[in-house]
């Protein structure tokens, strides 16, 4: 019992420290008039593929920067760098999520006069990142439909805390037994206000709707922050 209490205390202190730094990060983004989003999803959900599809459209009207979170390697950052935008890789060395202090250490490496949308691609995980605020304006979930329609009900915390969910790999729907209506109903039961986008990064279906929404979010954020 004592060990359990001690674990809870340590976790609470860790989250408090993280939240303090997250507010500092958030103030930085506000001062820079930059909308920051925290993109979260399981390994293989298609987070980087979504970025690769989105960036050519986003950079037509926006200055975009990317922070790539991963346990090891710079493979995802290398894929993003091809689009000639500023990107920095953060390797956790085994940690299952990014935290606000990791993010804070790379903020000075960006030219904030040229960026009005910062996309933080978190480490592949639907559990740990849910509790760690990075200072973002909101979270976006990328969920591959082939993971199964039970995922929202199994991992409700992240869906409760997100503003949008991108249901990816819709081109594979007929090859699975996923029940899309059940999945969407479960998502909305957890969070009635969440936006749902059905997308295929392979063929591009649904990408324009996602881009239009995200671009409008940037516009509204900049208007609110003056």
């Amino acid at each position: 019992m004592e060990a359990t209490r001690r674990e809870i205390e340590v976790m609470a202190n860790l989250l408090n420290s993280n939240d303090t730094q997250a507010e500092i990060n958030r103030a930085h983004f506000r001062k820079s008039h930059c909308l920051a989003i925290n993109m979260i999803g399981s390994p293989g959900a298609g987070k980087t593929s979504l970025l690769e599809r989105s960036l050519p459209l986003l950079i037509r009207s926006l200055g975009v920067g990317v922070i790539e979170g991963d346990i090891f390697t710079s493979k995802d950052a290398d894929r993003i760098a091809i689009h000639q935008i500023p990107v920095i890789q953060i390797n956790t060395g085994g940690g299952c999520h990014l935290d606000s202090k990791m993010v804070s250490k790379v903020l000075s490496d960006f030219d904030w006069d040229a960026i009005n949308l910062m996309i933080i691609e978190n480490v592949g995980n639907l559990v740990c990142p849910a509790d760690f605020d990075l200072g973002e304006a909101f979270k976006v979930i990328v969920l591959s439909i082939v993971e199964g329609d039970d995922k929202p009900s199994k991992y409700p915390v992240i869906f409760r805390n997100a503003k949008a969910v991108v249901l990816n790999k819709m081109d594979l729907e007929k090859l699975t037994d996923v029940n899309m209506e059940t999945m969407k109903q479960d998502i909305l039961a957890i969070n009635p206000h969440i936006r749902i986008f059905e997308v295929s990064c392979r063929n591009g279906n649904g990408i324009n709707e996602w881009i239009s929404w995200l671009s409008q979010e940037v516009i509204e954020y900049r208007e609110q922050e003056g």
Side-chain angles (χ1 to χ4, degrees), residues 126-127 147-159 186 190:
L126 283 176
V127 182
E147 295 179 62
D149 51 39
D150 61 341
K151 292 302 177 290
S153 59
K154 291 178 70 174
Y155 304 106
V157 174
I158 189 61
F159 287 89
D186 285 351
I190 296 166

Side-chain angles (χ1 to χ4, degrees), residues 65 73 148 212 226:
T73 84
S212 177

Side-chain angles (χ1 to χ4, degrees), residues 139 141 156-165 184-196:
K139 294 176 174 64
I141 303 166
V157 174
I158 189 61
F159 287 89
R160 190 177 301 124
N161 294 336
K163 190 168 188 176
V165 55
K184 289 187 284 187
Q185 287 173 9
D186 285 351
I187 291 171
L188 292 172
I190 296 166
N191 183 349
H193 305 293
I194 198 169
R195 288 293 304 268
I196 300 175

Side-chain angles (χ1 to χ4, degrees), residues 21-33 135 221:
Q21 182 61 55
E23 288 303 322
I24 296 173
N25 293 353
R26 200 175 341 269
H28 174 90
F29 294 131
R30 286 172 177 160
K31 183 179 179 180
S32 303
H33 307 293
Y221 179 87

Side-chain angles (χ1 to χ4, degrees), residues 16-183:
N16 287 338
S17 176
N18 181 83
D19 289 348
T20 298
Q21 182 61 55
E23 288 303 322
I24 296 173
N25 293 353
R26 200 175 341 269
H28 174 90
F29 294 131
R30 286 172 177 160
K31 183 179 179 180
S32 303
H33 307 293
C34 176
L35 175 70
I37 69 171
N38 184 358
M39 184 176 287
I40 298 171
S42 302
K47 300 184 296 299
T48 308
S49 295
L50 180 63
L51 286 179
E52 289 177 310
R53 269 287 184 176
S54 301
L55 287 172
L57 300 175
L58 289 170
I59 61 177
R60 292 177 183 176
S61 58
L62 299 173
V64 185
V66 174
I67 295 173
E68 281 288 347
D70 214 338
I71 295 176
F72 298 107
T73 84
S74 63
K75 290 184 177 181
D76 288 348
D78 294 341
R79 289 167 60 182
I80 298 305
I82 293 174
H83 297 277
Q84 299 183 334
I85 66 163
V87 55
I88 293 176
Q89 181 78 50
I90 299 177
N91 291 127
T92 65
C96 61
H97 59 86
L98 293 177
D99 63 37
S100 59
K101 293 182 180 179
M102 295 177 189
V103 171
S104 71
K105 291 178 180 178
V106 303
L107 295 183
S108 62
D109 295 329
F110 290 96
D111 176 7
W112 293 99
D113 291 334
I115 299 175
N116 41 43
L117 172 62
M118 174 58 68
I119 302 174
I120 306 169
E121 182 183 337
N122 217 312
V123 178
N125 197 322
L126 283 176
V127 182
C128 302
D131 291 327
F132 284 82
D133 184 1
L134 305 180
E136 73 274 5
F138 56 81
K139 294 176 174 64
V140 173
I141 303 166
V142 181
L143 180 66
S144 166
I145 64 168
V146 301
E147 295 179 62
D149 51 39
D150 61 341
K151 292 302 177 290
S153 59
K154 291 178 70 174
Y155 304 106
V157 174
I158 189 61
F159 287 89
R160 190 177 301 124
N161 294 336
K163 190 168 188 176
V165 55
V166 177
L167 300 179
N168 190 23
K169 304 186 182 182
M170 289 298 301
D171 53 293
L172 300 178
E173 180 183 2
K174 294 181 179 180
L175 301 178
T176 74
D177 58 1
V178 63
N179 187 317
M180 290 301 300
E181 288 308 310
T182 295
M183 180 182 283

